[in-house]
DNA sequence: TCTGGGGTCCTAGGACCC
DNA sequence: TCTGGGGTCCTAGGACCC
């Protein structure tokens, strides 16, 4: 028997996480917003039925939210990240191999005997142990497992599980899937395909291979093969080493002064440095960018970026902040309304593989390391940015909006849920 | 007034080398 | 007067994902 994949996908993940800790939300429409309370990034079924699309700007739907009693929440990534880990650890022991694909999805490799019955049990276990509802799709390739998952989620009669191996007429099923719903085909490629009459997954499966290759490149070729049942995308159990770490955020209100931009960028850079250290990595180069609000019609636009490489790769916060602020000063132009700035560190190397610097002073390096470790430790215990560098500022008037975030129920002692009996 | 953040991979074109 | 072809590396930009 050839390989089979299962895709486990949490239903309305962020909204479901919120419901686990606030049962009053069950049965009520729940929408979770992106950082800065900007877009809708998770919707309960009730919100989907109201016709609110994924990614919709929240402010355009305020009235619908109000009329329908939609509970609108800011995103709470500390909670979602922790719930995700619980779901993944519930799944892992049951299968020979697993790939954590995103915060709310995992691909599983299945043994020959593991089919619909197994998937139903797994689904029930995740529900019982974590409170999160999931859907499971099974197919001979990752792309087909994705399609099966989608259908399992959309078709309540299936009870959350669909194995394409049990489907009598697969082509008929594929003829009901628009190209844009296939994993890896986005809006642009769907439009390109439509241009030559390829509208459904079945059309793409049966299209002339040379033409697919020419028009969509190797990516399209792989998708077509996967639709034909030939597995081209392997299960990746170990995450690939990271190539870069980004830290960037929009401001809660327009920012004009260099001082405020500097505070924000120093804050994001400190965050990037923390991520480097937690991954045991050093950065060789960094890019800094600034931009105005691309949606603003009245204000003049300005988008700029600059890159620099460090003499020696580092993850020491002050060094990275210095380099980032140096670049920012070169980019800054007065009189613009800035909306966003950020840093992207690249040329990552593992701390252990570091080339010793001829001129370095070992005592100085170990001193820096202990300062960073101390800061990380305190911030872990007391909350992010409890200890900070002066350049990060104190009051963060530019900080993003987070009007209605739930508590960090599972990751902060102060915010543990309280039960009264 | 208000539109996220963090990633990946692929391609095309230019520079450079032999 | 004649003036190739192929390889590699880098970068910018496009497209996608959740």
């Amino acid at each position: 028997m050839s390989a089979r994949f299962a895709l486990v996908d949490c239903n309305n993940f962020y909204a479901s996480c919120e419901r686990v800790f606030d049962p009053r939300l069950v049965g009520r429409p729940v929408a979770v917003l992106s950082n800065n309370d900007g877009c809708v990034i998770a919707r309960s079924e009730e919100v989907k039925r109201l016709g609110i699309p994924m990614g919709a700007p929240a402010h355009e739907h305020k009235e619908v939210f109000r009329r329908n009693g939609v509970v609108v929440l800011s995103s709470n990534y500390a909670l979602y990240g922790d719930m995700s880990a619980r779901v993944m650890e519930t799944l892992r022991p049951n299968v020979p191999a697993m790939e954590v694909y995103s915060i709310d999805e995992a691909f599983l490799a299945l043994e020959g005997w593991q089919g619909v019955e197994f998937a139903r049990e797994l689904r029930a276990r995740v529900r019982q142990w974590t409170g999160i509802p999931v859907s499971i799709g099974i197919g001979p390739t990752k792309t087909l497992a994705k399609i099966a998952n989608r259908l399992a989620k959309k078709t309540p009669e299936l009870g959350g599980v669909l194995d394409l191996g049990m489907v009598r007429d697969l082509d008929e099923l594929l003829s009901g899937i628009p190209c844009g719903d296939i994993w890896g085909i986005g809006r642009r490629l769907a439009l390109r395909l439509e241009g030559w009459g390829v509208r459904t997954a079945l059309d793409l499966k049966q299209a002339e291979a040379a033409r697919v290759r020419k028009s969509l490149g190797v990516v399209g070729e792989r998708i077509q093969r996967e639709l034909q049942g030939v597995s081209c995308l392997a299960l990746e159990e170990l995450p690939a080493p990271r190539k870069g770490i980004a830290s960037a955020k929009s401001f809660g209100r327009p920012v004009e002064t260099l001082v405020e931009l500097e505070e924000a960028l120093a804050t994001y850079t400190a965050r990037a440095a923390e991520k480097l250290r937690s991954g045991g990595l050093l950065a060789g180069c960094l890019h800094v960018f600034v931009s105005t609000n691309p949606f603003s019609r009245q204000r003049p636009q300005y988008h700029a970026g600059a890159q620099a490489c460090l003499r020696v790769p580092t993850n020491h916060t002050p060094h990275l902040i210095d380099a980032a602020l140096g670049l920012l000063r070169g980019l800054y132009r007065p009189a613009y309304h800035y909306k966003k700035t950020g840093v992207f560190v690249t040329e990552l190397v593992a701390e252990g593989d570091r080339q010793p610097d001829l001129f370095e002073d070992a005592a100085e390096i170990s001193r820096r390391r202990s300062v960073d470790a101390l800061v990380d430790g305190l911030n872990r215990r007391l909350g992010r940015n409890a200890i900070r560098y002066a350049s990060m500022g104190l009051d963060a008037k530019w900080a993003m909006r987070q009007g209605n975030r739930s508590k960090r129920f599972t990751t902060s002692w102060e915010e543990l849920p309280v039960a009264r009996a």
Side-chain angles (χ1 to χ4, degrees):
Chain A
M1 180 144 186
S2 57
R4 282 177 317 140
F5 298 89
L7 176 66
V8 182
D9 189 325
C10 301
N11 299 349
N12 319 324
F13 182 53
Y14 299 168
S16 297
C17 290
E18 298 288 351
R19 279 178 171 168
V20 169
F21 291 92
D22 187 353
R24 287 171 301 180
L25 301 178
V26 177
R28 291 188 64 186
V30 176
V32 179
L33 306 185
S34 62
N35 275 332
N36 234 345
D37 292 346
C39 305
V40 177
I41 52 166
R43 305 158 297 158
S44 70
E45 292 304 327
E46 298 81 2
V47 174
K48 289 179 187 169
R49 281 201 295 272
L50 289 173
I52 309 284
M54 183 70 171
H59 67 89
E60 286 179 8
H61 300 277
K62 262 198 171 138
E63 194 41 37
V64 183
F65 292 158
R66 200 190 53 76
R67 271 206 313 274
N68 295 279
V70 176
V71 179
V72 181
L73 298 168
S74 306
S75 38
N76 182 348
Y77 289 103
L79 176 65
Y80 312 149
D82 186 63
M83 291 302 288
S84 170
R86 294 174 189 221
V87 170
M88 299 307 170
E89 293 324 307
T90 304
L91 296 172
R92 198 184 295 277
N94 301 284
V95 286
M98 161 167 146
E99 172 186 344
V100 176
Y101 175 68
S102 75
I103 194 165
D104 70 336
E105 285 172 73
F107 285 103
L108 313 179
L110 296 183
E111 308 264 23
W113 61 270
Q114 292 176 322
V116 170
E117 269 320 299
F118 165 78
R120 291 218 173 99
E121 283 167 28
L122 198 55
R123 185 170 177 272
R125 186 171 312 168
V126 173
R127 183 66 191 251
Q128 190 187 350
W129 290 10
T130 69
I132 300 292
V134 302
S135 302
I136 303 181
I138 300 174
T141 68
K142 283 178 154 183
T143 304
L144 288 169
K146 270 268 192 189
I147 287 177
N149 185 287
R150 220 191 145 75
L151 291 170
K153 196 169 287 192
K154 266 181 31 185
T155 323
E157 305 87 84
L158 291 172
V161 173
L162 174 61
D163 179 354
L164 290 188
M166 314 293 284
V167 171
R168 206 165 304 136
D169 192 345
L170 188 56
D171 280 358
E172 200 211 321
L173 182 147
L174 292 178
S175 72
I177 313 273
C179 279
D181 287 357
I182 302 169
W183 187 40
I185 307 281
R187 238 192 29 241
R188 303 308 270 263
L189 294 185
L191 229 61
R192 205 180 294 173
L193 285 169
E194 179 135 19
W196 36 292
V198 174
R199 292 195 179 79
T200 69
L202 181 62
D203 293 340
L204 181 54
K205 176 182 172 183
Q206 296 175 340
E208 192 198 333
R211 191 161 185 194
V212 172
R213 168 72 217 234
K214 190 147 187 289
S215 172
L216 304 189
V218 299
V219 176
E221 192 179 22
R222 271 201 297 256
I223 293 171
Q224 184 182 36
R225 301 286 285 159
E226 287 245 318
L227 287 173
Q228 292 164 351
V230 181
S231 178
C232 303
L233 302 167
L235 197 79
E236 288 166 28
E237 288 186 72
L238 300 176
R242 293 229 258 179
K243 302 198 165 151
I245 291 174
S247 179
K249 273 182 195 65
S250 304
F251 305 129
R253 59 158 176 79
V255 160
E256 288 181 77
T257 67
L258 178 58
V259 174
E260 286 187 296
L261 278 177
E262 286 178 346
E263 286 181 8
L265 185 63
T267 305
Y268 307 155
T269 305
R271 177 75 188 124
E274 207 181 295
K275 288 193 208 171
L276 282 168
R277 291 191 293 268
S278 80
L281 296 166
L282 306 168
C285 298
L286 74 174
H287 306 243
V288 164
F289 69 87
V290 292
S291 67
T292 50
N293 184 352
F295 296 100
S296 168
R297 300 249 174 68
Q298 299 88 27
R299 303 289 316 180
Q301 294 288 317
Y302 178 55
H303 304 267
Q307 187 193 174
C309 292
L310 302 147
R311 196 171 55 81
V312 204
T314 185
N315 59 21
H316 185 48
T317 302
H319 287 173
L320 289 165
I321 290 182
D322 277 351
L325 295 186
L327 290 170
L328 174 65
R329 287 172 197 134
L331 294 171
Y332 178 75
R333 303 283 179 276
Y336 287 105
H337 279 190
Y338 293 94
K339 179 64 179 170
K340 188 172 180 178
T341 184
V343 63
F344 187 54
V345 294
T346 58
E347 303 301 307
L348 307 186
V349 289
E351 259 167 326
D353 300 346
R354 181 169 170 281
Q355 297 286 329
D357 178 5
L358 219 49
F359 306 103
E360 77 186 11
D361 168 353
E364 175 59 21
I365 290 184
S366 99
R367 193 191 62 82
R368 279 183 214 140
R369 238 185 241 147
S370 44
V371 169
D372 284 330
L374 188 68
V375 170
D376 289 346
L378 285 170
N379 283 337
R380 253 197 310 278
R381 251 185 299 153
L382 305 175
R384 185 167 294 165
N385 296 334
I387 299 292
R388 61 178 104 188
Y389 287 88
S391 53
M392 294 158 64
L394 273 180
D395 54 354
K397 291 200 185 68
W398 39 266
M400 64 181 180
R401 282 184 299 269
Q402 263 203 330
N404 198 14
R405 201 206 66 214
S406 51
K407 294 194 171 173
R408 286 166 289 209
F409 299 108
T410 61
T411 56
S412 166
W413 289 112
E414 283 72 42
E415 301 184 14
L416 277 183
V418 177
R420 294 195 176 78

